[in-house]
Amino acid sequence: MKILITGCNGQVGSCLVKLLQERKNVEICAVDRAELDITQQDAVSRYVASFKPNVIINAAAHTAVDKAEQEIELSYAINRDGPKYLAMAANDIGALMLHISTDYVFDGTKDSTYVETDLVNPQSIYGITKLAGEEAVAEACPRHIILRTAWVFSEYGNNFVKTMLRLAQQRDALGIVNDQFGGPTYAGDIAAALIEIAQNIMGSDNLFDSANYGIYHFSGLPHVSWCEFAQEIFNKAVNQELLIKSPDVKGIKTEEYPTPAKRPANSTLNTNKITTVFNIPASNWQLALDHLVDYV
């Protein structure tokens, strides 16, 4: 199996490369913007036609949620146009297209977990452009899987876990939002899920039901608030002797911590579909915090 990974230096991309390098009978081509600018259609077409992957995994995205409110054109270029060009190139050579999306396609007002068929209503430029990317991929390449996820963290890049560990070293008390809820998701679990999906489809000898292409939700359980997530990080850090003691954590309302981009109050994703179709369980984010030394 030949796999092209875009965004290879991001959180999920880094985990994909690490996991796939350990696999036999897999040839990977891992690129970031320096090697392939996915916003340039001709470059994408040439690159894909040359490498001829069986699977394209797009882990590239403009994920700076607040910056996106100002960087609108760039957000559309990376989050909509790039995925579209990759999907078109995948379709041209009959490759499978795997694309990562986000909980931000929802407005967060639902009282229960979001399923794949719920109406979308993004409230930020990031969410709007990621939804546009979903639609572009689905239109350009019938053989696609769109994986919506949430609250991604890992040993790589910048994320909430790393920020909390850094702030805990600097402050005795922290105010953290307690009225936004979601499922923290370990990037390594996202990478493993994508690989499992690719192997399932490519190894099915054309037995994969085409009705199962489309959108899947994958995130962590249990669902928590940002405040609860932070407290668990601190507890784990104390147990692992990375912190002498946990800072005092005070829950605050969203309006007490204003940001340029609006965040959904409810980011909880229902992951039953991916478990039913691919036998992939929800991300165990608590287990992923057992080696915090790798995050500092």
Side-chain angles (χ1 to χ4, degrees):
M1 187 160 54
K2 296 176 70 175
I3 302 178
L4 172 63
I5 303 167
T6 60
C8 69
N9 291 328
Q11 294 196 79
V12 177
S14 296
C15 292
L16 278 166
V17 171
K18 181 180 179 182
L19 289 176
L20 285 169
Q21 282 177 335
E22 300 169 355
R23 303 270 179 136
K24 295 179 180 178
N25 303 318
V26 174
E27 180 183 352
I28 64 171
C29 180
V31 297
D32 217 318
R33 190 171 186 176
E35 293 84 28
L36 176 62
D37 184 348
I38 65 170
T39 69
Q40 302 301 312
Q41 184 174 4
D42 290 344
V44 170
S45 297
R46 287 194 303 269
Y47 208 100
V48 171
S50 174
F51 182 58
K52 295 183 176 61
N54 307 108
V55 181
I56 296 175
I57 304 179
N58 179 38
H62 189 301
T63 57
V65 176
D66 290 322
K67 279 187 178 181
E69 294 298 308
Q70 301 297 323
E71 300 174 343
I72 298 174
E73 286 188 14
L74 180 63
S75 297
Y76 271 107
I78 299 174
N79 293 341
R80 178 194 63 189
D81 299 344
K84 176 183 178 179
Y85 301 149
L86 287 165
M88 291 171 66
N91 192 56
D92 286 344
I93 63 168
L96 170 66
M97 176 73 187
L98 303 184
H99 175 64
I100 302 168
S101 192
T102 175
D103 55 303
Y104 278 63
V105 299
F106 299 115
D107 59 19
T109 60
K110 190 181 179 184
D111 291 333
S112 56
T113 59
Y114 280 97
V115 296
E116 288 81 355
T117 53
D118 280 331
L119 290 176
V120 290
N121 185 27
Q123 300 294 298
S124 64
I125 294 299
Y126 172 65
I128 290 167
T129 58
K130 289 295 289 183
L131 176 59
E134 288 188 10
E135 294 168 344
V137 166
E139 183 177 347
C141 184
R143 295 185 72 213
H144 70 270
I145 298 290
I146 293 166
L147 196 72
R148 290 179 182 150
T149 190
W151 294 23
V152 181
F153 70 94
S154 71
E155 305 91 333
Y156 307 101
N158 298 313
N159 55 69
F160 185 78
V161 174
K162 288 189 173 186
T163 299
M164 289 301 104
L165 290 173
R166 184 181 72 251
L167 291 176
Q169 298 280 5
Q170 301 168 354
R171 305 182 191 176
D172 295 325
L174 292 168
I176 301 171
V177 172
N178 67 355
D179 58 357
Q180 294 174 22
F181 296 87
T185 315
Y186 177 52
D189 291 340
I190 300 171
L194 290 165
I195 294 168
E196 178 64 28
I197 290 169
Q199 289 185 322
N200 184 295
I201 295 174
M202 300 305 294
S204 61
D205 295 324
N206 298 318
L207 296 177
F208 184 73
D209 188 346
S210 60
N212 287 327
Y213 287 118
I215 298 171
Y216 289 81
H217 289 173
F218 179 77
S219 63
L221 288 174
H223 296 136
V224 288
S225 69
W226 286 113
C227 186
E228 291 168 325
F229 185 24
Q231 189 62 71
E232 184 66 14
I233 294 166
F234 300 144
N235 291 343
K236 293 265 190 177
V238 170
N239 289 340
Q240 295 167 44
E241 299 183 346
L242 293 176
L243 290 176
I244 297 173
K245 66 180 184 67
S246 170
D248 292 328
V249 177
K250 176 193 175 187
I252 62 173
K253 301 300 181 185
T254 295
E255 55 263 30
E256 297 178 69
Y257 187 75
T259 56
K262 185 177 180 181
R263 267 77 170 165
N266 174 22
S267 277
T268 60
L269 301 177
N270 185 305
T271 59
N272 290 340
K273 181 183 176 184
I274 197 170
T275 303
T276 300
V277 175
F278 292 107
N279 197 30
I280 295 172
S283 173
N284 187 335
W285 61 267
Q286 291 172 316
L287 184 65
L289 296 177
D290 282 346
H291 302 281
L292 287 175
V293 66
D294 297 329
Y295 294 71
V296 296

